[in-house]
Amino acid sequence: MFINNKYKTWHDNIIDKAKNRTLSCYTEKHHILPKCLGGSNNEDNLVRLTAKEHFIVHMLLCKFTEGKVNNKMEVCISVISFAALAVSAVA
């Protein structure tokens, strides 16, 4: 499912950093193991990320997955990208 490469390392570092901090700015909830891959809504599978970090970790997920899992990650980043464009067009 996951390829151990530099992108996975970068992803894991962002997640690990986020687990041990409290942010007072806008954050988004991220599933460490995506729900589409069997991840749950349990607290140990959730982390709060900045919007920028959230976008980056989803981009990275596309770089260390393969096969059908990668297809799911590509769809997810497409949806996130479209939503970001829609929000910026309104703003």
Side-chain angles (χ1 to χ4, degrees):
M1 175 172 10
F2 297 128
I3 302 166
N4 283 320
N5 59 22
K6 65 183 178 183
Y7 305 110
K8 182 163 186 341
T9 300
W10 296 345
H11 170 276
D12 293 349
N13 287 340
I14 293 169
I15 298 300
D16 290 342
K17 178 181 164 188
K19 286 180 182 177
N20 300 311
R21 68 172 180 199
T22 303
L23 296 172
S24 58
C25 60
Y26 171 78
T27 61
E28 298 175 349
K29 188 178 355 177
H30 174 71
H31 291 87
I32 299 168
L33 178 63
K35 287 185 73 174
C36 66
L37 302 180
S40 70
N41 285 328
N42 294 338
E43 286 298 316
D44 61 342
N45 190 47
L46 296 172
V47 66
R48 301 298 299 188
L49 301 173
T50 66
K52 182 178 180 179
E53 288 172 333
H54 199 196
F55 183 81
I56 290 169
V57 296
H58 276 279
M59 289 291 293
L60 292 170
L61 277 163
C62 295
K63 300 283 191 181
F64 67 87
T65 54
E66 56 189 352
K68 290 182 180 182
V69 171
N70 182 263
N71 294 343
K72 290 179 180 184
M73 297 302 102
E74 293 284 346
V75 167
C76 184
I77 195 63
S78 295
V79 169
I80 291 170
S81 297
F82 180 77
L85 286 173
V87 168
S88 65
V90 172

